[in-house]
Amino acid sequence: MEREIPRLCRAGEDARLVVDGRPFVMLAGEMHNSSASDARTLDAAMDRATELGMNSVIAPVSWELVEPEEGVWDFSSVDTLLAAARRRGLRLGLLWFGAWKNAACSYAPEWVKRDLDRFRRAELEPGQRKAYLDFHGMTLPYATLSALCEETCDADAWAFARLMAHLREADAAERTVLFVQVENECGLLGAAREHSPEADDAFGRDVPSRLLGCLRGRAGELQGRLGAAWRAGAGRGSWEDVFGDFAEEAFTAWHTARYVEAVAAAGKVEYPLPLVVNCWLDKGREAGKFPTGGPVARVMEIWRCAAPSIDVVAPDIYVPDFCGTCDVYRSSGNPLVIEETAVHGRVASRAVWAVCHHHAPCFAPFGFEDMGEPFDDAAGVLFGASLDPAAVPQDAEEYARVMATLRELVARARDVRGGLEGMDAAISERPEADVLAVGSDGVVGIGVAYGDRPGACAVVPLGPDEALVLALHCHVTPVSLDPGRPHVDIISLDELVPDEGGVWSRGRRLNGDEATLLRFDGPALLRLRLFSYC
């Protein structure tokens, strides 16, 4: 019997990923861009994922491999990927590298790249179809396809639809694939908008009435530069009439999103899995200094209007302010899906915090195959270490233990509470949020303090005075949340431990010094009962 298709569903302020009728959290890793193109490299990456305790892998599917000649289809790389995941009991998220990968067209087929007339390139300046851009001090060649080219969009959409149809046929029983990302870090580098004759003509026209209607309907919620531009603009007319000095960025966002919508909608007709777009963060930079037009927070309302087939906008986080970025991208009803983040020494605590505080349906560090390896200069750029001076490599054995502990915590929360509702967490990167409620009635809690290593603590309330606690590199102190009953004692503190088969059961009953000090280098999984009194 065919199982229920994986889906995203709302549960209060959260969005659950529901797989086989039950909430599922993808504790995943995103493999390197080329790992899935070779069976031996793929197997090594999949083995590494199981060693690290992951339950899912995020892997690319490139247009150039599935349609090497126009109209000639080869899904052998997809089938190899499905088989490799199934052999290990892993789930998959797939990344469609179509017209865009990191804002460039490097994964488009040869027959697309060669036909410059049919599949137009984006022109950063009139007639300029290739540029050389500065990237972290390196000069890199850059070319990308035009978001305004209907021929490219039609070809991309047809290829994506064929991929989704193949997944429906090949994965209907197993449901290995849980979501698909449409394109990768789409947008335009080096300029705020394209400058071809076609782009100039489109920019000179009036803003589409659909976009105007969407923005009018959400005018009170528009923030940042988009909100300021809308309030200062004429409300109708040309892009410059409506958006002023934000016009070029708004224009690029609209046309990029409309392109992605055409691709996504074509695929969703064939197989309506959850669809995601990811974004290279703008980091507060001016247009052209990041992939302009991509679904960054400051143009997300344009994307909501232009691309209704997209279910989630996922930030690729390689910045020190991880927590603030999560807050921004979980706002306005957008589920926090993290498909790609830095793999350095803060990644374990960030996994705990993202899943347990924001109830993220997916968390995945990029390049997990290299976890624990020293950073070289190039890897430092890719993995975010160059943006975060305090970053050190993540210990791989510790990460595997954190994944195992987090998987057990999530499983018990699902079994006891039906999902992640009520679960919360604290993290050393935000030490001011240092008290977590233990009881479901808000009477008792724990205070969390940290040492020198990145730490986190998560709580799943089980009753009025009882909770499961995951502690990682932190010091936990029972506290009262009721001024009328200021004193708190520990009634019991039980350690939960796995056996060699990964089955968790009660270990030591911690008491005396172990219960008084409550310092956990961890990760530790505990069952804690407290009692408050006056």
Side-chain angles (χ1 to χ4, degrees):
M1 183 176 69
E2 190 172 297
R3 291 187 245 169
E4 179 186 19
I5 189 170
R7 58 191 173 89
L8 277 170
C9 69
R10 298 290 172 179
E13 295 183 357
D14 293 335
R16 295 177 179 176
L17 178 60
V18 178
V19 180
D20 299 333
R22 305 185 74 191
F24 186 86
V25 176
M26 298 178 71
L27 300 177
E30 182 176 330
M31 64 176 58
H32 283 298
N33 299 323
S34 301
S35 295
S37 65
D38 171 71
R40 290 169 298 182
T41 308
L42 173 63
D43 276 335
M46 291 291 193
D47 288 341
R48 185 62 170 154
T50 59
E51 291 170 3
L52 291 169
M54 296 167 175
N55 62 17
S56 308
V57 168
I58 298 175
V61 174
S62 62
W63 188 4
E64 65 176 345
L65 292 183
V66 302
E67 195 181 8
E69 300 176 37
E70 186 169 9
V72 176
W73 304 98
D74 181 359
F75 292 105
S76 59
S77 61
V78 179
D79 294 335
T80 299
L81 185 55
L82 291 172
R86 289 170 186 165
R87 285 196 300 270
R88 297 162 176 84
L90 295 169
R91 303 283 189 160
L92 287 172
L94 297 184
L95 313 176
W96 174 243
F97 288 179
W100 284 289
K101 165 66 175 78
N102 292 44
C105 58
S106 50
Y107 285 81
E110 178 181 343
W111 54 271
V112 171
K113 292 176 182 174
R114 285 183 176 275
D115 195 339
L116 301 182
D117 295 325
R118 184 180 168 198
F119 304 109
R120 297 195 310 273
R121 300 288 178 93
E123 297 180 15
L124 305 188
E125 297 178 8
Q128 183 192 66
R129 297 188 290 198
K130 187 166 185 176
Y132 295 86
L133 305 178
D134 177 76
F135 181 74
H136 292 278
M138 299 179 287
T139 300
L140 299 179
Y142 175 69
T144 193
L145 295 162
S146 171
L148 286 82
C149 182
E150 292 185 8
E151 283 272 3
T152 307
C153 184
D154 289 346
D156 196 349
W158 176 234
F160 185 68
R162 289 297 301 264
L163 169 65
M164 297 300 283
H166 182 78
L167 291 177
R168 184 190 66 238
E169 296 165 2
D171 200 36
E174 288 84 353
R175 304 299 198 200
T176 311
V177 180
L178 304 187
F179 73 83
V180 180
Q181 177 186 292
V182 187
E183 311 297 340
N184 183 271
E185 294 183 343
C186 56
L188 182 69
L189 284 171
R193 71 167 179 91
E194 299 180 33
H195 287 277
S196 65
E198 296 84 1
D200 289 345
D201 177 66
F203 187 67
R205 298 177 193 167
D206 285 352
V207 176
S209 58
R210 178 179 169 184
L211 177 56
L212 294 177
C214 288
L215 297 181
R216 287 192 193 103
R218 298 180 67 91
E221 303 170 45
L222 300 180
Q223 303 294 321
R225 293 191 62 188
L226 177 61
W230 175 258
R231 287 186 288 274
R236 61 172 56 86
S238 71
W239 289 90
E240 290 181 321
D241 291 337
V242 175
F243 297 106
D245 62 4
F246 196 62
E248 292 191 325
E249 187 168 344
F251 169 85
T252 303
W254 172 258
H255 285 284
T256 305
R258 291 300 295 152
Y259 181 111
V260 171
E261 168 61 17
V263 176
K268 218 159 197 177
V269 167
E270 297 294 339
Y271 191 36
L273 286 173
L275 297 182
V276 179
V277 290
N278 68 329
C279 64
W280 174 334
L281 298 178
D282 60 72
K283 305 182 185 73
R285 296 176 177 175
E286 292 300 307
K289 301 296 184 181
F290 66 97
T292 305
V296 294
R298 67 199 201 191
V299 293
M300 194 180 295
E301 291 302 332
I302 295 176
W303 270 79
R304 288 182 193 277
C305 179
S309 296
I310 296 299
D311 299 294
V312 179
V313 173
D316 293 348
I317 308 179
Y318 296 96
V319 294
D321 188 11
F322 177 87
C323 297
T325 303
C326 290
D327 291 342
V328 168
Y329 282 87
R330 196 195 177 194
S331 64
S332 304
N334 183 62
L336 181 65
V337 168
I338 301 175
E339 308 170 305
E340 189 175 337
T341 190
V343 76
H344 57 54
R346 293 188 174 126
V347 69
S349 59
R350 289 175 174 182
V352 173
W353 190 77
V355 170
C356 300
H357 177 69
H358 280 298
H359 304 168
C362 174
F363 182 90
F366 173 74
F368 67 87
E369 303 100 310
D370 298 331
M371 188 175 288
E373 297 295 325
F375 297 123
D376 59 26
D377 290 342
V381 170
L382 289 174
F383 297 159
S386 63
L387 304 176
D388 195 341
V392 296
Q394 169 67 50
D395 179 82
E397 291 185 5
E398 179 186 82
Y399 195 79
R401 295 196 303 273
V402 172
M403 288 295 99
T405 309
L406 188 52
R407 287 176 66 174
E408 182 66 14
L409 184 72
V410 167
R412 291 185 179 228
R414 182 187 62 194
D415 292 342
V416 172
R417 304 183 62 88
L420 304 189
E421 294 79 8
M423 179 185 289
D424 201 4
I427 188 170
S428 56
E429 293 178 60
R430 190 170 274 179
E432 67 275 11
D434 59 356
V435 176
L436 296 171
V438 167
S440 55
D441 58 6
V443 171
V444 291
I446 53 175
V448 186
Y450 308 95
D452 296 332
R453 300 181 67 182
C457 185
V459 169
V460 177
L462 300 178
D465 60 358
E466 186 175 5
L468 293 172
V469 178
L470 188 162
L472 173 66
H473 302 307
C474 64
H475 179 195
V476 177
T477 305
V479 297
S480 172
L481 303 177
D482 181 359
R485 290 185 285 177
H487 306 299
V488 180
D489 286 349
I490 296 175
I491 297 298
S492 63
L493 180 62
D494 293 321
E495 180 184 54
L496 301 175
V497 294
D499 62 20
E500 292 184 357
V503 177
W504 292 69
S505 59
R506 195 178 80 178
R508 296 176 297 169
R509 166 62 62 88
L510 302 178
N511 212 323
D513 292 345
E514 288 90 349
T516 302
L517 297 175
L518 287 178
R519 289 187 177 91
F520 301 100
D521 219 19
L525 185 59
L526 311 161
R527 190 169 187 131
L528 173 65
R529 294 180 64 225
L530 301 176
F531 168 66
S532 65
Y533 55 96
C534 58

